[in-house]
Amino acid sequence: MKTSSFWNKASSGLAEPPVTAPPRVERDFSAEKYTVPGNPVGADHPSMDRSGEHPAIRDIQEQVRQSSTWVQPLRQQMARVVVGQDQLVDRLMVGLISNGHILLEGVPGLAKTLALRTLASAVGLHFQRMQFTPDMLPADIVGTMIYNPRDGSFSTKHGPVFSNLILADEINRAPAKVQSALLEAMQERQVTLGDETYRLPDPFLVLATQNPLEQEGTYPLPEAQVDRFMLKVIVNYPNRTEERAILDAMAVTEPSLDVTTVVNCEDIVNARRIVSTIYVDEKVKDYIVDLVLATRDPKPYGIHLNSYVQCGASPRATIGLTLAARAHAFLQGRGYVVPQDVKDLACDVLRHRIAVSYEAEAENVTSEDIIDRILEEMPVP
């Protein structure tokens, strides 16, 4: 936790020129206005019905209710194997229904791989697991062209990436060129082998795990690949109660890891279609844009970070934060997004997209500290 004097410390002896802050929205935490497009002043507005509810929002709410019946059963199946880690399970579901790749980081033994395998078992999709190692080749992921000496022709051998769910386990154990083999697959949902391009199955989701970069035998992921992950989730140690529950469930020679499949491909595709229709108010959209812009240049917003930001979040962050907030609202059973949805997902969407300066590293300021500061200072609509 950084003190106020830490943040307010001048980065140089020269006085900074005054900056003009952008127009601020009023501080109003009422969620009701986010259910009404255009924020009409009363129930007698032409777009309102007699109940005071906008018909379009009511229709979306009903669609969310009908298409989210599998959410609670999936949580229950995950809880049978993964003890605690509620935030991890929630983020996995956000990525699943928002079509966004997920990167999990944590020390070994925190059930990162187990959580992804359990999710794959509870979701009726084709699943492949890839263990990344230092001697791995790009062809081991995407496939290759095989020469047939009999007739002098080449045949295509597809790699494990041609699946719905890809578990890239310990992705930072492999060199950069192997990690980059996933770039085209993650962004374009296709793979090019030779002179042919092959579409990947739909849905297609990469769930990657990595150990902290300080550990021996790890390689930092290329910036271009890191930016293609919608969420980066930090997996922390369980508390004492959860640790005891883990002992009771797993301290046997054959722990029970079986789960029931509760979701199929059609349910996921339908949920993604509903997520795209969830209503986001204009003020919430402006709030998302302001958050992302503040990571690039916080001074116009009156946020002083002493030049700790070297590179801010890309436009992928704006898109990803909006989709993640919509998916979070879907999981809560709402057909509209409130600012709290944005705040809950902001750190997971932005932490890997902000590059801190050398001064920040010297003073032990992380990207999470910068995000927390921006969320604290930015007015909430």
Side-chain angles (χ1 to χ4, degrees), residues 35-50:
T35 69
V36 182
N39 297 331
V41 295
D44 58 346
H45 190 276
S47 62
M48 308 290 288
D49 58 17
R50 293 183 177 179

Side-chain angles (χ1 to χ4, degrees), residues 78-79 81-89 238-239 242-243 245-246:
M78 294 286 292
V81 177
V82 182
V83 179
Q85 304 291 4
D86 293 335
Q87 181 178 357
L88 170 60
V89 173
N239 58 36
E242 294 169 347
E243 191 88 19
I246 293 172

